Amino acid sequence: GRKINAIVEDANGRLLFGTREHGVFRFSNGRFFPYPVPGLTSGHYIITMYVDRSEDLWIGTSRGLFKAPRGNRPVRIFTRQEGLSADYITNVVQGSEQRTWSGTVTGLNLMTPLDTKTFRYESFLKDCVVACLFIDREESVWVGALEKGLRRLKRKRFSRVEIPQKPASDMIWSLNLDPGNDT
């Protein structure tokens, strides 16, 4: 069986499924079809996927971050060699101005495009295993980290968020916005 780690909707409204060991599949007419991504092999365990505002597909794997652009543009692969804090990508989201945040097993990375080919990299929270990421309406980045709790980056400054009812552990696995709350 295929272990599904990620599900996203592409620009055409089709569901894409990221499997742990067998790559990406497109679901159409009740069937699964391979969705080939150049460079993505069975040795790349898919952890997470994200479709950005430009409708490009980002794939976080155990061996780097893939950017599969819409159309026939070439796939880009980002690893420690390019500037990320680790190759094991746990989550990816994109904010304004194509600023892409990726969580890894050794912290949080910000990739900001300088032009069409190069990126500037910044690393934060190097002592954290980032489990989940969320960007709110004010462009604050919320980070759920294993055994480190919840953090918020606002204006380049992190703050720890205290949770009123102490959970059984400090592991935050998922974040989402309450539609009835603007904060």
Side-chain angles (χ1 to χ4, degrees), residues 1 14-15 20 32 55 67-68 70 82-83 94 102-103 107 117 128 134-135 140 152 159 161 177:
R14 297 176 300 198
L15 290 179
R20 181 163 168 83
F32 289 95
E55 300 174 349
K67 179 183 180 185
R70 187 168 184 225
E82 283 73 37
Q94 194 174 83
S102 59
K117 294 186 179 179
C128 292
F134 180 78
I135 299 178
S140 291
R152 179 175 67 165
S159 60
V161 177
L177 180 68

Side-chain angles (χ1 to χ4, degrees), residues 152-170:
R152 179 175 67 165
L153 174 61
K154 188 173 185 175
R155 296 189 191 114
K156 291 211 169 225
R157 186 178 215 186
F158 271 101
S159 60
R160 182 175 175 87
V161 177
E162 296 298 328
I163 300 172
Q165 294 180 337
K166 182 79 173 148
S169 75
D170 280 340

Side-chain angles (χ1 to χ4, degrees), residues 3-60:
K3 297 174 185 161
I4 296 171
N5 279 359
I7 303 171
V8 295
E9 185 177 353
D10 73 5
N12 299 318
R14 297 176 300 198
L15 290 179
L16 301 178
F17 292 79
T19 64
R20 181 163 168 83
E21 299 163 341
H22 301 287
V24 180
F25 289 83
R26 174 178 54 87
F27 188 73
S28 180
N29 297 323
R31 295 182 53 206
F32 289 95
F33 298 91
Y35 186 92
V37 177
L40 187 65
T41 67
S42 59
H44 293 89
Y45 294 159
I46 294 176
I47 311 303
T48 188
M49 295 192 311
Y50 179 78
V51 176
D52 67 20
R53 291 180 178 119
S54 299
E55 300 174 349
D56 296 337
L57 174 65
W58 293 82
I59 305 169

Side-chain angles (χ1 to χ4, degrees), residues 97-155:
E97 301 169 8
Q98 296 182 321
R99 294 162 40 103
T100 304
W101 296 89
S102 59
T104 72
V105 293
T106 58
L108 178 65
N109 301 273
L110 171 60
M111 298 168 46
T112 306
L114 298 176
D115 53 47
T116 57
K117 294 186 179 179
T118 58
F119 286 83
R120 179 171 56 99
Y121 297 89
E122 293 179 73
S123 294
F124 306 91
L125 300 175
K126 295 177 185 176
D127 62 336
C128 292
V129 176
V130 174
C132 55
L133 295 172
F134 180 78
I135 299 178
D136 67 19
R137 291 183 188 110
E138 297 174 351
E139 289 286 317
S140 291
V141 178
W142 293 81
V143 180
L146 268 61
E147 300 179 359
K148 300 285 185 174
L150 183 61
R151 306 285 173 101
R152 179 175 67 165
L153 174 61
K154 188 173 185 175
R155 296 189 191 114

Side-chain angles (χ1 to χ4, degrees), residues 137 177-183:
R137 291 183 188 110
L177 180 68
D178 177 356
N181 191 345
D182 288 334
T183 59

Side-chain angles (χ1 to χ4, degrees), residues 61-75:
T61 76
S62 59
R63 294 173 53 195
L65 178 62
F66 285 67
K67 179 183 180 185
R70 187 168 184 225
N72 294 326
R73 293 175 291 158
V75 170

